[in-house]
């Protein structure tokens, strides 16, 4: 359903959306940042009213306004609780664009506009990070400094990721026997940045599971989906990345576009919202949105049960973009329940954000840690040996939480449990 947010100018769109908030307060019960702080400016109702006052000229731009807007997780939980369905996460993303006057800080602008659109440049930078991490030269710290993220000591920020693989998924996928000609394929696999660079083993598991189910898959020559740029308010960069992906993905003319990153899946489906004023791109965006599937949705359709080497007690954490933005909760659970040897147990507040939210855990470490602590308590209470999820940012955050709070649990992607290699899990 088309919204005012998609059709009006940025300022008008923000005001139209936040004005629909009736200040009922139901959002308080599901907002992770409000639970941590207890402040009205850290819940959708307060954020919307603060932003409305600023847009109507009753409140000047201030540090308090900026903090309120930028500290939103964009998780979308509030929208599901909201009777009028206020899309607070979209209003906050657009407000970031306004507060930045259409231009993010210089270093972020470099990342979004000069680095992410060019895979070879990003490859080179990540190789430097990987070398520094393995040699103890704190390569990741230097990149975090470059990105201009703040709020956490750089050494602690680096600790979020234990290691960076020496080889990327695009290199490793060559040994899986993927078809070279798209005409022989059933689906195109969209390679998410975090999967490619940080968690290539997840991508390998997803591809093996798809191949084992009889699907012929080719790797997309895609760039970043654009969600990081959108989340920081750089709409121009988000649209440029979307244009590049639309061009290469639709050229392949395959029925499905599959990704094992819930954030990528969600944002690819949101492409039409970026091009409401560009009809030629809008038509392409709508065509792509119809083809995009999260990997768990595809794998749940195939009756090819797999199993683990021994019985495992498994719980599931819902990524925000899959549960709240796409409304998909059943497919990953059905998939896990179908696996031999898996004793599936539901956790409390499974669809509460873990505090990862892309780079949120770096930009807002104290808030993120408070959110993560609650999530890890819920995981511990299940007694699970494995917590499965379907978002790389969640995997990284939950693994950090397991180390930080000493929770004896292994964090895996759902596809790692459903691939042929799952029988090797101990």
């Amino acid at each position: 359903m088309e919204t005012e947010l998609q059709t009006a100018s940025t300022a008008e769109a923000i005001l139209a959306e936040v004005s629909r908030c009736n200040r009922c307060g139901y959002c308080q019960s599901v907002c992770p940042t409000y639970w941590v702080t207890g402040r009205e400016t850290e819940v959708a109702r307060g954020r919307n009213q603060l932003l409305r006052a600023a847009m109507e000229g009753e409140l000047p731009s201030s540090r308090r306004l900026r903090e309120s807007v930028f500290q939103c997780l964009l998780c979308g939980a509030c929208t599901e609780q909201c009777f009028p369905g206020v899309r607070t996460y979209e209003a906050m993303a657009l407000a970031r664009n306004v507060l930045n006057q259409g231009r993010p800080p210089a270093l972020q602008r470099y990342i979004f506009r000069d680095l992410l659109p060019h895979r070879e440049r990003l490859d080179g930078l990540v190789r430097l990070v990987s070398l520094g991490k393995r040699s103890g030269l704190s390569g990741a710290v230097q990149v975090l400094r470059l990105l201009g993220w703040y709020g956490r000591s750089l050494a602690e920020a680096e600790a979020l990721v234990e290691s960076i693989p020496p080889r990327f998924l695009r290199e490793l996928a060559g040994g899986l026997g993927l078809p070279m000609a798209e005409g022989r394929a059933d689906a195109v696999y969209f390679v998410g940045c975090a999967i490619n660079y940080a968690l290539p083993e997840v991508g390998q598991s997803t591809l093996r599971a798809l191949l084992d189910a009889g699907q012929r898959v080719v790797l997309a020559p895609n760039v970043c989906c654009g969600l990081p740029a959108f989340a920081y308010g750089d709409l121009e960069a988000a649209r440029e990345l979307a244009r590049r992906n639309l061009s290469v993905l639709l050229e392949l003319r395959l029925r499905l576009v599959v990704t094992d990153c819930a954030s990528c899946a969600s944002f690819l489906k949101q492409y039409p919202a970026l091009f409401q004023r560009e009809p030629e791109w809008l038509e392409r965006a709508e065509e792509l949105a119809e083809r995009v599937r999260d990997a768990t949705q595809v794998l749940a359709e195939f009756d090819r049960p797999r199993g683990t080497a021994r019985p495992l007690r498994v719980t599931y954490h819902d990524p925000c973009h899959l549960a709240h933005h796409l409304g998909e909760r059943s497919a990953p659970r059905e998939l896990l329940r179908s696996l031999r040897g898996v004793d599936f147990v539901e956790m409390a507040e499974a669809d509460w954000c873990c505090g990862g939210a892309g780079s949120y855990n770096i930009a807002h470490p104290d808030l993120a840690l408070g959110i993560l602590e609650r999530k890890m308590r819920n995981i511990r209470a299940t007694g699970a040996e494995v917590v499965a999820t379907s978002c790389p940012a969640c995997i990284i955050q939950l693994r950090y939480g397991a180390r930080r709070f000493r929770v004896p649990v292994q964090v895996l992607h759902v596809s790692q449990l459903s691939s042929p290699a799952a029988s090797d899990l101990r």
Side-chain angles (χ1 to χ4, degrees), residues 383-416:
E385 301 165 86
V386 173
V387 55
T389 188
S390 48
C391 174
C394 294
I395 291 174
I396 291 170
Q397 177 76 341
L398 293 175
R399 286 179 178 174
Y400 172 68
R403 297 193 303 272
R404 176 74 181 250
F405 298 105
R406 300 179 186 274
V407 179
V409 68
Q410 188 176 7
V411 183
L412 298 174
H413 194 284
V414 173
S415 67
Q416 290 177 285

Side-chain angles (χ1 to χ4, degrees), residues 154-410:
L154 293 179
E156 190 175 353
E158 187 178 24
L160 288 169
V161 180
E162 277 192 298
S163 62
I164 298 175
R167 299 182 67 193
F168 308 148
L169 174 61
R170 289 188 182 276
E171 300 172 83
L172 297 170
L176 295 177
L178 302 181
M180 299 301 294
E182 61 270 17
R184 294 171 49 215
D186 300 303
V188 58
Y189 173 81
F190 185 93
V191 185
C193 298
I195 295 290
N196 185 41
Y197 297 119
L199 300 168
E201 71 279 7
V202 170
Q204 288 178 291
S205 292
T206 301
L207 290 168
R208 287 192 181 103
L210 290 168
L211 292 170
D212 188 59
Q215 292 293 289
R216 295 166 297 182
V217 188
V218 293
L219 260 64
N222 62 279
V223 294
C224 171
C225 68
L227 178 58
F230 177 81
Y232 277 89
D234 193 344
L235 304 184
E236 179 182 332
R239 289 191 183 98
E240 178 54 30
L241 290 164
R243 291 187 189 99
R244 288 173 181 259
N245 285 325
L246 286 168
S247 297
V248 298
L249 292 173
L250 293 179
E251 185 178 332
L252 293 173
R253 300 188 180 280
L254 296 181
R255 182 176 60 89
L256 291 180
V257 176
V258 181
T259 180
D260 42 18
C261 174
S263 298
C264 290
S266 171
F267 198 64
L268 290 171
K269 280 187 168 292
Q270 284 184 298
Y271 275 6
L274 296 173
F275 297 112
Q276 290 297 313
R277 294 179 178 274
E278 300 180 48
E280 68 281 9
W281 287 105
L282 175 59
E283 184 177 356
R284 299 186 199 183
E286 290 174 338
E287 181 181 350
L288 176 66
E290 293 177 358
R291 301 184 188 184
V292 173
R293 298 289 186 278
D294 183 80
T296 60
Q297 294 174 315
V298 177
L299 293 174
E301 295 175 0
F302 300 108
D303 184 21
R304 296 178 67 86
R306 285 285 172 185
T308 55
R310 66 176 180 84
L312 286 176
R313 189 173 179 86
V314 179
T315 191
Y316 177 72
H317 160 72
D318 290 277
C320 295
H321 282 94
L322 193 59
H324 301 309
H325 291 241
L326 293 182
E328 180 60 81
R329 290 176 170 83
S330 62
R333 287 173 170 82
E334 290 172 7
L335 188 55
L336 290 171
R337 289 190 177 104
S338 74
L339 301 176
R340 292 191 302 269
V342 168
D343 173 21
F344 180 77
V345 56
E346 194 71 63
M347 82 164 82
E349 301 175 342
D351 63 355
W352 273 58
C353 183
C354 64
S359 63
Y360 189 94
N361 49 6
I362 299 173
H364 309 287
D366 294 334
L367 275 173
L369 195 61
I371 295 165
L372 178 61
E373 183 177 13
R374 179 173 178 144
K375 174 63 66 173
M376 298 313 297
R377 282 205 304 268
N378 286 329
I379 291 173
R380 188 192 296 275
T382 66
E385 301 165 86
V386 173
V387 55
T389 188
S390 48
C391 174
C394 294
I395 291 174
I396 291 170
Q397 177 76 341
L398 293 175
R399 286 179 178 174
Y400 172 68
R403 297 193 303 272
R404 176 74 181 250
F405 298 105
R406 300 179 186 274
V407 179
V409 68
Q410 188 176 7

